[in-house]
Amino acid sequence: MIPVMNPLSEHRPTTPTTEHVTPMNRHKAATRSVWVSVVVNFFLSTAQIIVGFFAHSQALIADGIHTLSDLFADFIVLGANKISRSGADENHPYGHARFETAASLALGVLLIIVGCGMLWAAARKFIDPSSIPQVHQLALWAALLTLVSKECLFRYMLSIAKRANSTMLIANAWHARADAASSLVVALGIGGNLLGYTFLDPLAAALVGFMICRTGGKFAWDAMARLTDRGLTPAEVEEVRATFAATPGVKDVHDLKTRYMGDEVLIDAHLLVDGWMSVSEGHYIAAHARRRILASHRALDALVHIDPEDDQPGEQLAELPPREDILAFLYSRLGDLSPQAQPPVLIHYLNNTVELDIFIHEIGDSEADTDMLRRIKESLPSVRQAFPKLGRIQVWRGQESASA
């Protein structure tokens, strides 16, 4: 029995427009906070070195040199912030967001170097404590002023970094906190020196050097992990999966992968949909799911693959015949037909088989239609013999136009 194809009604759903909104002033706030750090560090380092020289405080001079390293770090952040704002180009199709991560790595390495330098300087003082001179009381006041200034700078920069949600700026803020900690140690060391306990200076310097190395190692490791495509945490991945699964038309989600691109992520996912829906409807579902992800998560982009069936156990599509071979063989069995007279065929690759829907053109000539139906029926046994993977074959003879 030949099924009758009914007229198709056109339906174009209206899709609400949803955009992923990011703070417009993110880079401006980041640049402003870094310039504040540059100005503060410049004046502090100058004052520390000058006062340390006249007050005979090697610790204060060393802390001033440490502060100078912050200027270098600030300019790294400024450069990375400017580059990361650049859009995609031929060499960076995903943009330049990872320059922020690279800057975080550089800051982490810088902290490790500074920390190791402080440990080495402390070790030398332990070896020869007699080399520590008596300092002037002015050095203590300079160290305390530096401590307060750097703690205030840390709190200001951290508040900006959290609002901007930038790991690079957070790393730079904690760099300022490490400086405040080192200034505290310098103050304790100078105070101990003034009280006659000279060993407190190298001991405190060693403790701060260890703290700075530990902080730098943490930031460097985190940045390296992101540069080597570390993904979201399992809990965050499940949140992304839930957003995909809640999209109308999605039956399942698998092969979900994420990787960081700067402070945002790139997401890849396979969505299982009804295998009998049209390509355009599958595309509509994929586009809708992508919009939901970009609106709900810090995703730079999402690549969505539509699956008509669960392919997790392993795809065997390579064993199935391609469309060109099937049509060439079928049309050769139907006789000498013009391209306009060749019946259109809809092919389904499902359940490791090939299913065919063959449509007979309606030309208003019942004899010609009947003859085409006969030719198709007579060709099917040879078609099945040529392609053993064929499953259901259904012939449709429309009684009315299907382009309504």
Side-chain angles (χ1 to χ4, degrees), residues 77-121:
V77 173
L78 283 173
N81 185 49
K82 182 178 180 180
I83 296 174
S84 65
R85 187 169 44 180
S86 305
D89 57 28
E90 184 177 353
N91 295 324
H92 300 86
Y94 290 98
H96 298 74
R98 277 188 174 164
F99 277 84
E100 284 199 9
T101 310
S104 295
L105 175 61
L107 287 175
V109 173
L110 180 61
L111 285 173
I112 293 174
I113 293 174
V114 171
C116 289
M118 294 184 69
L119 287 171
W120 174 249

Side-chain angles (χ1 to χ4, degrees), residues 24-45:
M24 295 298 296
N25 62 345
R26 178 184 178 189
H27 290 284
K28 292 181 180 179
T31 302
R32 185 171 63 251
S33 70
V34 175
W35 275 114
V36 170
S37 177
V38 167
V39 173
V40 172
N41 285 327
F42 174 77
F43 283 104
L44 285 178
S45 61

Side-chain angles (χ1 to χ4, degrees), residues 196-390:
Y197 300 100
T198 56
F199 71 92
L200 288 179
D201 186 21
L203 176 61
L207 291 175
V208 170
F210 173 76
M211 291 168 56
I212 293 177
C213 286
R214 182 175 180 274
T215 302
K218 179 180 180 297
F219 282 122
W221 179 260
D222 182 71
M224 181 62 71
R226 292 194 176 200
L227 288 174
T228 53
D229 284 347
R230 185 184 69 183
L232 297 174
T233 64
E236 292 170 328
V237 170
E238 287 307 311
E239 292 178 358
V240 173
R241 186 187 304 276
T243 302
F244 273 126
T247 304
V250 175
K251 300 169 64 176
D252 193 17
V253 183
H254 59 272
D255 287 348
L256 177 57
K257 302 174 183 177
T258 65
R259 53 196 171 101
Y260 273 97
M261 175 62 70
D263 290 312
E264 297 181 305
V265 291
L266 297 173
I267 299 174
D268 301 334
H270 286 216
L271 306 184
L272 180 64
V273 300
D274 187 352
W276 293 96
M277 68 173 50
S278 66
V279 173
S280 61
E281 185 179 0
H283 173 74
Y284 171 81
I285 292 175
H288 185 38
R290 178 178 177 273
R291 285 194 299 270
R292 289 168 55 89
I293 289 295
L294 297 183
S296 304
H297 305 273
R298 283 193 60 84
L300 181 65
D301 199 2
L303 179 62
V304 180
H305 176 85
I306 292 296
D307 285 331
E309 60 183 354
D310 189 356
D311 59 359
Q312 287 193 87
E315 296 188 27
Q316 298 178 330
L317 297 180
E319 302 176 2
L320 301 179
R323 176 183 183 85
E324 294 76 12
D325 293 353
I326 297 174
L327 295 186
F329 188 88
L330 173 63
Y331 292 154
S332 69
R333 294 299 182 270
L334 297 181
D336 187 14
L337 298 174
S338 65
Q340 294 77 16
Q342 293 174 346
V345 180
L346 188 62
I347 302 180
H348 309 277
Y349 292 91
L350 297 170
N351 302 317
N352 199 31
T353 60
V354 182
E355 301 185 2
L356 306 180
D357 285 319
I358 304 174
F359 300 87
I360 298 177
H361 286 299
E362 281 294 303
I363 59 176
D365 187 341
S366 59
E367 291 185 4
D369 295 343
T370 302
D371 179 63
M372 178 57 69
L373 179 59
R374 178 186 58 78
R375 292 188 190 187
I376 293 175
K377 285 185 175 181
E378 291 177 354
S379 68
L380 292 185
S382 59
V383 173
R384 286 191 177 278
Q385 184 176 6
F387 303 100
K389 288 288 187 177
L390 287 181

